[in-house]
């Protein structure tokens, strides 16, 4: 089982993300996740660094493997451009890059005024995007005339030694089936053993399943809960709202229905290593091979110290 660290592009500046990555490597974390957002979920998070610039910087700052968690290669950025960005990232990291993708959220993808498709259409677009990216990574000149995308006489000249692995996000049975059928791995932020089993049953046997959870390291559970509530009240927003709400202000409005106590369902708050170990066990028991933890608030070094001394040695 691999334990990695989750870098939040929505909450931290580029310089802070680089320092967190270095701190995670020193603490003994084995790999990195990094989110890809055009907007933060709520204004209190305050950032949205361009993930491809960050990956270039991270490639030179650490030796850890990096996965996008996750990029949407369908609306805001054409899959042919994502293919080039991912290929360059794989070259810069010496093969330590994996492309995590998903169907995205209106929050990030609507910025050009494009219609936001329903789920089945988004999944259809995702499958076509994967076909395009793999076609371009095969080398040579590539053309594609599909239902959603056109590519003409395109060639990516800077390619890694082997094609980039594509790990696909799945939060329901439809997307998880797509991940199993066409993905090189699975991505989720829920310790749901049924979905991991579906991923395996639909083609994911032998492929890595990556899961992640959030923490709010602090001197007490109450302090951590308040940190989580200040920065991530959207974590308590239910159902498909996270996919369809178009702006941070809408998430702030929906988050008025969320209470600080509801953060306990989404975060490990405080400084109890047993609480972290219990959450890691939940993901391990669900069948995940890699588990990532991300910290909210100003106490990342405290979390790194705790993992280095009290959690990673036990795993």
């Amino acid at each position: 089982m691999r334990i990695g660290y989750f870098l939040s592009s929505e909450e931290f500046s580029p310089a802070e993300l680089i320092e967190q990555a270095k701190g995670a490597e020193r603490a003994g974390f084995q790999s990195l996740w990094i989110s890809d957002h055009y907007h933060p979920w709520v204004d209190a998070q305050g950032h949205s660094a361009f993930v491809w610039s960050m990956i270039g910087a991270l490639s030179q700052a650490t030796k850890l493997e990096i996965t996008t968690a996750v990029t949407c290669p369908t609306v805001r950025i054409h899959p042919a451009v994502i293919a080039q960005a991912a290929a360059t990232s794989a070259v810069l990291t010496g093969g330590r890059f994996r492309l995590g993708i998903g169907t995205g959220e209106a929050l990030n993808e609507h910025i050009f005024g494009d219609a936001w498709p329903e789920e089945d259409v988004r999944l259809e677009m995702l499958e076509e995007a994967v076909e395009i990216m793999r076609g371009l990574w095969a080398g040579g000149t590539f053309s594609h005339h599909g239902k959603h995308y056109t590519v003409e006489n395109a060639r990516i000249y800077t390619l890694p030694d082997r094609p980039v692995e594509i790990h696909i996000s799945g939060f329901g049975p439809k997307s998880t089936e797509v991940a199993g059928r066409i993905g090189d791995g699975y991505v989720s932020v829920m310790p749901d053993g049924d979905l991991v089993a579906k991923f395996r049953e639909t083609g994911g046997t032998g492929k890595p399943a990556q899961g992640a959870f959030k923490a709010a390291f602090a001197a007490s559970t109450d302090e951590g809960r308040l940190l989580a509530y200040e920065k991530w009240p959207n974590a308590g927003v239910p159902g498909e709202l996270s996919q369809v709400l178009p702006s941070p202000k809408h998430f702030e409005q929906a988050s008025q229905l969320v209470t600080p106590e509801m953060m306990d369902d989404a975060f490990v708050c405080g400084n109890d290593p047993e609480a972290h170990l219990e959450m890691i066990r939940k993901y391990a028991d669900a069948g995940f091979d890699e588990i990532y933890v991300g910290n909210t608030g100003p106490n990342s070094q405290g979390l790194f110290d705790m993992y280095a001394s009290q959690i990673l040695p036990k795993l």
Side-chain angles (χ1 to χ4, degrees):
M1 181 173 61
R2 177 186 292 182
I3 305 297
Y5 188 73
F6 187 0
L7 298 167
S8 172
S9 298
E10 306 96 309
E11 186 180 346
F12 299 102
S13 71
E16 289 171 322
L17 293 172
I18 295 296
E19 289 307 307
Q20 285 186 16
K22 292 178 179 178
E25 187 171 36
R26 288 193 297 267
F29 287 90
Q30 296 169 288
S31 49
L32 298 170
W33 262 21
I34 184 166
S35 56
D36 177 11
H37 269 243
Y38 194 88
H39 296 127
W41 297 98
V42 295
D43 281 353
Q45 292 163 5
H47 288 281
S48 60
F50 188 52
V51 74
W52 301 107
S53 299
M54 290 308 311
I55 291 167
L58 290 167
S59 74
Q60 306 305 301
T62 84
K63 298 297 184 183
L64 299 180
E65 194 169 77
I66 304 165
T67 303
T68 49
V70 294
T71 288
C72 178
T74 60
V75 178
R76 173 169 47 107
I77 306 180
H78 193 284
V81 178
I82 294 292
Q84 184 188 27
T88 299
S89 297
V91 171
L92 279 170
T93 58
R96 293 180 287 111
F97 175 74
R98 295 179 293 182
L99 179 65
I101 63 171
T103 58
E105 303 91 14
L107 174 72
N108 302 303
E109 306 304 319
H110 81 288
I111 58 171
F112 300 125
D114 299 281
W116 184 236
E118 60 186 13
E119 181 188 11
D120 287 348
V121 176
R122 298 201 306 270
L123 283 168
E124 189 178 76
M125 295 170 71
L126 191 73
E127 288 203 51
E128 190 174 336
V130 169
E131 179 184 350
I132 289 168
M133 291 188 291
R134 286 180 171 151
L136 286 162
W137 293 334
T141 301
F142 176 80
S143 294
H144 172 91
H145 298 274
K147 182 175 180 179
H148 300 287
Y149 304 105
T150 297
V151 179
E152 288 189 352
N153 304 321
R155 179 179 176 184
I156 296 176
Y157 280 81
T158 300
L159 288 168
D161 293 335
R162 62 181 186 274
V164 180
E165 288 186 13
I166 296 177
H167 292 224
I168 298 178
S169 172
F171 296 106
K174 291 181 180 179
S175 54
T176 302
E177 184 275 330
V178 171
R181 180 163 45 83
I182 68 171
D184 300 308
Y186 174 61
V187 173
S188 181
V189 291
M190 302 182 295
D192 190 324
D194 291 338
L195 288 178
V196 176
K198 186 170 188 64
F199 168 68
R200 304 290 186 207
E201 293 163 2
T202 55
T205 300
K207 301 174 183 178
Q210 301 178 313
F213 66 92
K214 287 281 191 179
F217 187 88
S220 69
T221 299
D222 288 343
E223 184 182 337
R225 186 183 296 122
L226 290 175
L227 279 173
Y229 184 67
E230 175 191 354
K231 295 290 188 180
W232 290 86
N234 57 286
V237 172
E240 295 182 37
L241 289 177
S242 292
Q243 280 72 55
V244 300
L245 294 179
S247 72
K249 73 176 181 180
H250 291 103
F251 277 95
E252 289 164 2
Q253 291 165 5
S255 295
Q256 293 174 15
L257 303 174
V258 178
T259 66
E261 291 70 27
M262 293 168 69
M263 293 296 98
D264 292 342
D265 294 330
F267 280 76
V268 178
C269 300
N271 60 1
D272 181 5
E274 286 304 317
H276 284 259
L277 286 166
E278 180 182 354
M279 182 64 79
I280 289 169
R281 289 188 199 105
K282 287 181 180 179
Y283 279 87
D285 291 345
F288 286 91
D289 309 290
E290 303 177 21
I291 303 166
Y292 294 78
V293 56
N295 189 66
T296 192
N299 304 318
S300 296
Q301 189 57 53
L303 182 135
F304 294 150
D305 292 342
M306 180 180 70
Y307 267 72
S309 63
Q310 300 182 67
I311 294 178
L312 295 176
K314 295 182 179 181
L315 300 172

